[in-house]
Amino acid sequence: MNVREYYAYLTAAREQLWNYLRALPQADLDRNLIEDADRFHSIKDLLLHVTDVEDHWVHGIVLGDGVQDLYPHDWVRPQAQQYDLGWILDYSREVTRRTCAFLDSEPDLHRSVKLVQDDPASDTVTLDQLMWNVMTHEVRHTAQIALMIRQLGHTPPWLDYMRFVRPQNTSAQAGAPDRDDEPDDSDEL
């Protein structure tokens, strides 16, 4: 699997999650379910955080053109209850659109990216590593959101990769003989 394939899965899973969250009561989306947390307490806090992280790394660090200025907020302590879910999703859609366009441009995933742009001694990673960091970060927080949905007494949507992957026929499913069943030409000698 590669970055483009996995990001395509994430965008499909995001849409399913967003559609599901639109149906929940606003109070559930804002409910403080992680009381001892330093910064993120609610479903909306985590949604906003995931978008901020992708925007920061992909658009701010890699491309130098972050989206956050179009959606001003405190990304350190988002307090997302002050924002309508639609506003958060609009911001997320814009980040997603730009990330998809970036990946469609077939960037060199092996290129080095400095993690701190204005520090000459900054560590570097490959663009591929940075993208996998952004994507696994989202998966971890999406799992937290699914747990929060359960804590609220709802059943979260099924967002597993297998739901979105295109089925592939194996030779056995297609009726082709297994390699072990095929005659071996060396047996005829």
Side-chain angles (χ1 to χ4, degrees), residues 7 11 14-15 18 51 54 59 91-101:
Y7 193 79
T11 59
R14 273 180 205 160
E15 285 293 332
W18 296 345
T51 302
E54 182 175 333
H59 304 287
Y91 172 39
S92 296
R93 269 192 212 89
E94 182 61 18
V95 170
T96 300
R97 184 190 68 73
R98 289 182 184 207
T99 301
C100 286

Side-chain angles (χ1 to χ4, degrees), residues 20 33 36 43 52 55 62-63 80-81 83-84 93 98 104 110 125 130 138 155 160 162 165 188:
Y20 181 87
L33 295 169
D36 296 334
I43 290 172
D52 283 338
D55 185 35
V62 174
L63 298 172
Q81 72 276 7
Y83 304 107
D84 182 69
R93 269 192 212 89
R98 289 182 184 207
D104 287 347
H110 300 292
V125 296
L130 185 136
E138 178 173 348
T155 302
D160 289 358
M162 294 306 292
V165 69
E188 296 178 3

Side-chain angles (χ1 to χ4, degrees), residues 1-3 6 128-137:
M1 175 162 339
N2 64 47
V3 166
Y6 201 73
D128 187 69
Q129 291 169 322
L130 185 136
M131 290 302 302
W132 282 106
N133 178 67
V134 168
M135 294 185 300
T136 55
H137 175 266

Side-chain angles (χ1 to χ4, degrees), residues 12-25:
R14 273 180 205 160
E15 285 293 332
Q16 290 295 310
L17 178 61
W18 296 345
N19 288 336
Y20 181 87
L21 293 176
R22 280 189 197 97
L24 291 182

Side-chain angles (χ1 to χ4, degrees), residues 17-18 21 43-51 85 88 145:
L17 178 61
W18 296 345
L21 293 176
I43 290 172
K44 282 173 38 182
D45 282 346
L46 288 173
L47 285 173
L48 190 53
H49 171 65
V50 165
T51 302
L85 178 64
I88 295 170
I145 291 169

Side-chain angles (χ1 to χ4, degrees), residues 91-157:
Y91 172 39
S92 296
R93 269 192 212 89
E94 182 61 18
V95 170
T96 300
R97 184 190 68 73
R98 289 182 184 207
T99 301
C100 286
F102 173 61
L103 292 174
D104 287 347
S105 75
E106 298 187 15
D108 177 5
L109 294 172
H110 300 292
R111 88 175 220 218
S112 291
V113 176
K114 284 177 49 171
L115 297 179
V116 181
Q117 298 298 301
D118 59 355
D119 179 1
S122 172
D123 290 334
T124 62
V125 296
T126 65
L127 178 56
D128 187 69
Q129 291 169 322
L130 185 136
M131 290 302 302
W132 282 106
N133 178 67
V134 168
M135 294 185 300
T136 55
H137 175 266
E138 178 173 348
V139 170
R140 287 186 0 253
H141 284 309
T142 299
Q144 284 181 295
I145 291 169
L147 177 60
M148 293 166 95
I149 291 168
R150 286 193 187 282
Q151 289 174 311
L152 292 165
H154 309 292
T155 302

